[in-house]
Amino acid sequence: MADAFDRVVFEAQEVVFQWGDPGDSAFVIEKGCVEVLTGAGTAQRRIAMLTEGAMFGEVALLDRQPRTATVRTLVPTRLIRIERSHVEELLLRSDSVIQYLMQLLLERFRSTHDAAGMLHRQGTNNSRHYPDSTETIDLHKAAVRTLSLAQDLSDAIDLKQLELFYQPLIALDDLTVAGYEALIRWWHPILGLISPAEFIPLAEKTGLIHRIGQWVLQQAVADWSALRPICADDSRRRPFISINLSAPELASSRIVAEIQNCLGRHHMDPRELRIELTETIIIQNMDAVSVSLHQLRALGIGIALDDFGTGYAGLDYLQSLPFTCLKIDKTFVQQINQSERSLHIIKAALELARSIGLSTIAEGIEDSESGTQLAAMGCSHAQGYYYAKPMPLHEVASWNLQRRPTGRA
Ligand code: C2E
Ligand code: CA
Ligand code: CA
């Protein structure tokens, strides 16, 4: 990303690119002036003059076709170059609907210009692959899926298609159940089970996340009376239920009151609720998040930093925000025996958590060795398929009864 944009300087009358060149970058004129020419040799004619602020070369950059014009500077000119790889990276991160709209616009632009004979292509490398290229068909499918899922998601709560699954969180010192994380599931009537990794981002974009978040909170708090007895009966430790909050939810000014009201209605002790949030949420909304987190913590609610190590934040917010727990991301945990780097990152995270008084949960443990190793390294809790996969509420009691004394299901 560091050199995604760079500055290139041309003397007067230099060619920036010419007809037939590969279209691998676009340019913005920072200072100076260029002319755009079509045709070949003496038949070249100027079709445009562009000055400061104008962009050129972007169409070939998007559709990967060779240049269909020549661009030459008229005076000494300074350009900012935008690499195709950077644009592709940005596009990949954008919504599938936006990607598809871009592709359609591009196709329409090309067909209008070709029909008018303005940007005439010559040679053999002229095969048109759209509008029915595999790429366009895939984009079309992804966009239609996104749009129809967004539509269906808005009815999912009323149609009772959402469900909370619970995954046990295990205390590593005695392998008892310390609490549960609530993880949402969507049973789509036609498409089957849809992962929260797909529909939560969609809910965030469409604003539905507020209704979904309220539903999750209500449901988890209501289910707690059934789950609480399936935790270790240990006077030293208070059992808890953990819910995930996303950025728009935490940024809402009503979130603290909503949580407080919900706990009050169900007579639930706030110290038995924990919220999980990621670094990305914190970075995006530092001010709003900070106020809400301090208020929630003052009520006694626990606050876990989820997916630790995967964001791009510094560590300063760990000092200013009232976290009680740090969750080490599964990408590190699952590499603990293959990668020295992951091992060092886990050690450093555990040390950091210990030094500022946070409990720790290692996510994604899939074998007994990793669990034992993490316990020996001082990690206080574990979560992972080795102990139990997330399961519907009605399966939790029988899972607990079947557990062997080793702590494994
Ligand atoms: P997360 O908060 O990091 O949740 C942990 C994810 O790791 C869950 O995926 C869980 O099923 C999975 N997992 C647990 N143990 C293992 C293991 O041993 N191996 C592997 N490979 N995976 C394991 P899930 O349930 O698909 O949830 C994905 C993400 O969706 C969650 O990641 C969370 O960010 C989001 N999410 C889930 N439920 C909610 C919700 O109610 N509200 C919000 N805002 N986000 C949610
Ligand atoms: Ca989580
Ligand atoms: Ca996580």
Side-chain angles (χ1 to χ4, degrees), residues 19 36-39 45-48 68-70 109-121:
W19 184 92
V36 182
L37 308 155
T38 57
R45 67 195 168 90
R46 180 192 286 180
I47 55 164
T68 54
T70 298
F109 174 86
R110 282 294 198 194
S111 52
T112 318
H113 281 67
D114 282 1
M118 283 175 70
L119 295 176
H120 182 60
R121 266 174 230 272

Side-chain angles (χ1 to χ4, degrees), residues 181 183 244 276 306-307 327 363:
E181 177 175 0
L183 294 158
N244 293 281
E276 299 192 5
D306 208 351
D307 303 345
K327 294 190 79 172
E363 289 183 335

Side-chain angles (χ1 to χ4, degrees), residues 105-357:
L105 282 173
L106 197 66
E107 282 160 12
R108 288 189 188 154
F109 174 86
R110 282 294 198 194
S111 52
T112 318
H113 281 67
D114 282 1
M118 283 175 70
L119 295 176
H120 182 60
R121 266 174 230 272
Q122 293 170 9
T124 50
N125 189 11
N126 193 20
S127 59
R128 300 295 303 272
H129 62 285
Y130 35 73
D132 56 354
S133 69
T134 334
E135 191 188 353
T136 305
I137 292 168
D138 288 348
L139 281 174
H140 174 83
K141 278 191 195 151
V144 170
R145 180 173 166 104
T146 302
L147 290 168
S148 83
L149 278 188
Q151 193 60 43
D152 296 346
L153 188 56
S154 62
D155 298 327
I157 299 181
D158 297 335
L159 296 176
K160 301 201 183 328
Q161 294 166 355
L162 299 181
E163 183 176 3
L164 286 186
F165 271 27
Y166 293 99
Q167 189 174 28
L169 304 167
I170 307 294
L172 276 171
D173 55 357
D174 56 6
L175 298 178
T176 54
V177 179
Y180 294 88
E181 177 175 0
L183 294 158
I184 196 168
R185 299 290 179 260
W186 178 16
W187 301 100
H188 189 283
I190 296 161
L191 302 169
L193 185 64
I194 298 178
S195 161
E198 180 173 14
F199 76 83
I200 291 289
L202 188 61
E204 289 174 358
K205 278 181 226 149
T206 53
L208 282 168
I209 193 66
H210 296 286
R211 275 187 65 215
I212 292 178
Q214 277 171 8
W215 178 84
V216 169
L217 174 70
Q218 295 286 343
Q219 193 63 46
V221 169
D223 288 347
W224 183 228
S225 55
L227 279 170
R228 197 182 189 284
I230 325 175
C231 291
D233 186 10
D234 185 338
S235 57
R236 292 174 302 144
R237 290 187 291 230
R238 190 174 283 284
F240 61 89
I241 186 165
S242 216
I243 59 169
N244 293 281
L245 288 191
S246 55
E249 288 179 86
L250 207 65
S252 153
S253 56
R254 299 188 304 273
I255 187 73
V256 178
E258 275 167 15
I259 293 179
Q260 197 172 11
N261 292 341
C262 180
L263 292 173
R265 269 197 309 278
H266 291 266
H267 308 291
M268 178 171 164
D269 187 332
R271 292 171 297 180
E272 295 182 357
L273 179 69
R274 181 180 284 184
I275 58 165
E276 299 192 5
L277 56 148
T278 61
E279 279 172 310
T280 325
I281 298 180
I282 299 162
I283 306 159
Q284 285 169 357
N285 310 270
M286 189 61 184
D287 292 341
V289 164
S290 174
V291 173
S292 302
L293 288 188
H294 279 98
Q295 289 173 346
L296 291 171
R297 186 68 201 115
L299 294 173
I301 294 166
I303 300 166
L305 180 56
D306 208 351
D307 303 345
F308 183 70
T310 59
Y312 300 97
L315 296 172
D316 44 332
Y317 62 86
L318 274 179
Q319 223 173 15
S320 54
L321 299 176
F323 290 107
T324 53
C325 172
L326 195 147
K327 294 190 79 172
I328 302 169
D329 192 67
K330 55 179 172 289
T331 51
F332 303 111
V333 174
Q334 293 180 339
Q335 290 291 314
I336 191 167
N337 289 312
Q338 286 97 55
S339 147
E340 281 273 304
R341 231 184 121 166
S342 294
L343 183 67
H344 289 307
I345 292 172
I346 294 172
K347 274 188 186 156
L350 292 173
E351 183 50 39
L352 174 70
R354 193 166 31 237
S355 65
I356 53 176

Side-chain angles (χ1 to χ4, degrees), residues 29-92:
I29 305 174
E30 199 175 26
K31 194 154 185 43
C33 178
V34 302
E35 60 179 347
V36 182
L37 308 155
T38 57
T42 49
Q44 271 191 342
R45 67 195 168 90
R46 180 192 286 180
I47 55 164
M49 243 178 67
L50 305 171
T51 55
E52 279 172 30
M55 179 183 272
F56 60 91
E58 74 283 3
V59 177
L61 177 113
L62 290 168
D63 72 1
R64 298 180 190 81
Q65 299 293 308
R67 299 296 185 193
T68 54
T70 298
V71 173
R72 190 166 57 200
T73 55
L74 290 168
V75 294
T77 297
R78 201 166 65 219
L79 303 172
I80 298 170
R81 181 161 57 199
I82 306 163
E83 297 293 340
R84 175 189 290 152
S85 56
H86 180 63
V87 174
E88 284 176 349
E89 202 180 304
L90 291 174
L91 265 179
L92 267 181

